[in-house]
PDB file of all heavy atoms in Angstrom:
ATOM      1  N   LYS A 150      94.864  95.832 107.264  1.00 89.00           N
ATOM      2  CA  LYS A 150      93.676  95.203 107.810  1.00 89.00           C
ATOM      3  C   LYS A 150      92.692  94.935 106.675  1.00 89.00           C
ATOM      4  O   LYS A 150      92.806  95.578 105.640  1.00 89.00           O
ATOM      5  CB  LYS A 150      93.037  96.069 108.880  1.00 89.00           C
ATOM      6  CG  LYS A 150      92.527  97.408 108.363  1.00 89.00           C
ATOM      7  CD  LYS A 150      91.641  98.076 109.344  1.00 89.00           C
ATOM      8  CE  LYS A 150      90.248  97.473 109.283  1.00 89.00           C
ATOM      9  NZ  LYS A 150      89.191  98.482 109.187  1.00 89.00           N
ATOM     10  N   HIS A 180      95.960 101.584 111.872  1.00 95.00           N
ATOM     11  CA  HIS A 180      96.426 102.971 111.707  1.00 95.00           C
ATOM     12  C   HIS A 180      96.086 103.851 112.916  1.00 95.00           C
ATOM     13  O   HIS A 180      96.688 104.900 113.101  1.00 95.00           O
ATOM     14  CB  HIS A 180      95.928 103.573 110.385  1.00 95.00           C
ATOM     15  CG  HIS A 180      94.493 103.999 110.381  1.00 95.00           C
ATOM     16  ND1 HIS A 180      93.464 103.134 110.184  1.00 95.00           N
ATOM     17  CD2 HIS A 180      93.910 105.209 110.551  1.00 95.00           C
ATOM     18  CE1 HIS A 180      92.320 103.785 110.224  1.00 95.00           C
ATOM     19  NE2 HIS A 180      92.559 105.057 110.449  1.00 95.00           N
ATOM     20  N   TYR A 181      95.160 103.411 113.781  1.00 97.00           N
ATOM     21  CA  TYR A 181      94.898 104.203 114.984  1.00 97.00           C
ATOM     22  C   TYR A 181      96.140 104.252 115.884  1.00 97.00           C
ATOM     23  O   TYR A 181      96.355 105.221 116.594  1.00 97.00           O
ATOM     24  CB  TYR A 181      93.696 103.640 115.759  1.00 97.00           C
ATOM     25  CG  TYR A 181      92.401 104.312 115.345  1.00 97.00           C
ATOM     26  CD1 TYR A 181      92.014 104.328 114.007  1.00 97.00           C
ATOM     27  CD2 TYR A 181      91.577 104.950 116.266  1.00 97.00           C
ATOM     28  CE1 TYR A 181      90.854 104.959 113.601  1.00 97.00           C
ATOM     29  CE2 TYR A 181      90.408 105.583 115.866  1.00 97.00           C
ATOM     30  CZ  TYR A 181      90.053 105.589 114.544  1.00 97.00           C
ATOM     31  OH  TYR A 181      88.902 106.218 114.144  1.00 97.00           O
ATOM     32  N   LYS A 184      98.210 107.271 115.333  1.00 95.00           N
ATOM     33  CA  LYS A 184      97.675 108.614 115.601  1.00 95.00           C
ATOM     34  C   LYS A 184      98.393 109.211 116.812  1.00 95.00           C
ATOM     35  O   LYS A 184      98.610 108.535 117.820  1.00 95.00           O
ATOM     36  CB  LYS A 184      96.157 108.551 115.862  1.00 95.00           C
ATOM     37  CG  LYS A 184      95.348 108.191 114.597  1.00 95.00           C
ATOM     38  CD  LYS A 184      93.867 108.286 114.839  1.00 95.00           C
ATOM     39  CE  LYS A 184      93.057 107.692 113.693  1.00 95.00           C
ATOM     40  NZ  LYS A 184      92.940 108.539 112.510  1.00 95.00           N
ATOM     41  N   GLU A 218      81.751 108.673 112.868  1.00 97.00           N
ATOM     42  CA  GLU A 218      82.078 109.134 111.507  1.00 97.00           C
ATOM     43  C   GLU A 218      80.842 109.733 110.875  1.00 97.00           C
ATOM     44  O   GLU A 218      79.728 109.265 111.130  1.00 97.00           O
ATOM     45  CB  GLU A 218      82.509 107.956 110.639  1.00 97.00           C
ATOM     46  CG  GLU A 218      83.780 107.303 111.066  1.00 97.00           C
ATOM     47  CD  GLU A 218      84.204 106.276 110.023  1.00 97.00           C
ATOM     48  OE1 GLU A 218      84.642 106.679 108.952  1.00 97.00           O
ATOM     49  OE2 GLU A 218      84.036 105.081 110.294  1.00 97.00           O
ATOM     50  N   ARG A 225      82.346 101.150  99.463  1.00 91.00           N
ATOM     51  CA  ARG A 225      82.890  99.907 100.036  1.00 91.00           C
ATOM     52  C   ARG A 225      81.804  98.919 100.467  1.00 91.00           C
ATOM     53  O   ARG A 225      82.017  98.066 101.319  1.00 91.00           O
ATOM     54  CB  ARG A 225      83.774 100.251 101.236  1.00 91.00           C
ATOM     55  CG  ARG A 225      85.006 101.034 100.850  1.00 91.00           C
ATOM     56  CD  ARG A 225      85.658 101.600 102.075  1.00 91.00           C
ATOM     57  NE  ARG A 225      86.390 100.615 102.838  1.00 91.00           N
ATOM     58  CZ  ARG A 225      86.558 100.674 104.168  1.00 91.00           C
ATOM     59  NH1 ARG A 225      85.991 101.638 104.858  1.00 91.00           N
ATOM     60  NH2 ARG A 225      87.248  99.767 104.792  1.00 91.00           N
ATOM     61  N   ASP A 237      84.970  95.913 111.392  1.00 96.00           N
ATOM     62  CA  ASP A 237      85.697  97.005 110.742  1.00 96.00           C
ATOM     63  C   ASP A 237      86.392  97.918 111.753  1.00 96.00           C
ATOM     64  O   ASP A 237      87.491  98.408 111.501  1.00 96.00           O
ATOM     65  CB  ASP A 237      84.699  97.816 109.899  1.00 96.00           C
ATOM     66  CG  ASP A 237      85.366  98.839 109.014  1.00 96.00           C
ATOM     67  OD1 ASP A 237      86.356  98.469 108.346  1.00 96.00           O
ATOM     68  OD2 ASP A 237      84.912 100.004 108.977  1.00 96.00           O
ATOM     69  N   HIS A 242      90.595  98.924 116.006  1.00 98.00           N
ATOM     70  CA  HIS A 242      90.877 100.260 116.563  1.00 98.00           C
ATOM     71  C   HIS A 242      90.310 100.460 117.975  1.00 98.00           C
ATOM     72  O   HIS A 242      90.992 100.988 118.861  1.00 98.00           O
ATOM     73  CB  HIS A 242      90.312 101.345 115.656  1.00 98.00           C
ATOM     74  CG  HIS A 242      90.641 101.165 114.210  1.00 98.00           C
ATOM     75  ND1 HIS A 242      91.867 100.746 113.774  1.00 98.00           N
ATOM     76  CD2 HIS A 242      89.899 101.340 113.083  1.00 98.00           C
ATOM     77  CE1 HIS A 242      91.868 100.688 112.448  1.00 98.00           C
ATOM     78  NE2 HIS A 242      90.678 101.034 112.009  1.00 98.00           N
ATOM     79  N   LYS A 347      82.208 113.938 113.036  1.00 95.00           N
ATOM     80  CA  LYS A 347      83.413 113.098 112.944  1.00 95.00           C
ATOM     81  C   LYS A 347      84.258 113.392 114.171  1.00 95.00           C
ATOM     82  O   LYS A 347      84.771 114.517 114.337  1.00 95.00           O
ATOM     83  CB  LYS A 347      84.182 113.456 111.670  1.00 95.00           C
ATOM     84  CG  LYS A 347      85.581 112.871 111.583  1.00 95.00           C
ATOM     85  CD  LYS A 347      85.579 111.432 111.149  1.00 95.00           C
ATOM     86  CE  LYS A 347      86.999 110.865 111.077  1.00 95.00           C
ATOM     87  NZ  LYS A 347      87.031 109.414 111.007  1.00 95.00           N
ATOM     88  N   GLN A 380      90.849 112.993 117.525  1.00 93.00           N
ATOM     89  CA  GLN A 380      90.667 113.669 116.237  1.00 93.00           C
ATOM     90  C   GLN A 380      89.251 114.218 116.145  1.00 93.00           C
ATOM     91  O   GLN A 380      88.383 113.703 116.835  1.00 93.00           O
ATOM     92  CB  GLN A 380      90.934 112.703 115.075  1.00 93.00           C
ATOM     93  CG  GLN A 380      89.990 111.511 115.069  1.00 93.00           C
ATOM     94  CD  GLN A 380      90.274 110.504 113.979  1.00 93.00           C
ATOM     95  OE1 GLN A 380      91.318 110.489 113.374  1.00 93.00           O
ATOM     96  NE2 GLN A 380      89.326 109.642 113.708  1.00 93.00           N
TER      97      GLN A 380
HETATM   98  O1  LIG B 502      89.915 101.265 109.393  1.00 52.44           O
HETATM   99  C1  LIG B 502      88.981 102.001 109.155  1.00 52.44           C
HETATM  100  O2  LIG B 502      89.012 103.247 109.650  1.00 52.44           O
HETATM  101  C2  LIG B 502      88.226 104.278 109.072  1.00 52.44           C
HETATM  102  C3  LIG B 502      88.185 105.401 110.104  1.00 52.44           C
HETATM  103  O3  LIG B 502      89.485 105.877 110.272  1.00 52.44           O
HETATM  104  P1  LIG B 502      89.733 107.377 110.746  1.00 52.44           P
HETATM  105  O4  LIG B 502      91.204 107.482 110.861  1.00 52.44           O
HETATM  106  O5  LIG B 502      89.138 108.266 109.699  1.00 52.44           O
HETATM  107  O6  LIG B 502      89.016 107.536 112.028  1.00 52.44           O
HETATM  108  C4  LIG B 502      86.839 103.820 108.726  1.00 52.44           C
HETATM  109  O7  LIG B 502      86.191 104.813 107.965  1.00 52.44           O
HETATM  110  C5  LIG B 502      86.931 102.569 107.891  1.00 52.44           C
HETATM  111  O8  LIG B 502      85.607 102.078 107.657  1.00 52.44           O
HETATM  112  C6  LIG B 502      87.745 101.521 108.573  1.00 52.44           C
HETATM  113  O9  LIG B 502      87.976 100.455 107.658  1.00 52.44           O
END
Side-chain angles (χ1 to χ4, degrees):
K150 64 167 280 229
H180 77 278
Y181 268 55
K184 291 186 191 282
E218 295 188 73
R225 295 167 76 210
D237 189 47
H242 312 320
K347 168 80 180 165
Q380 61 183 16

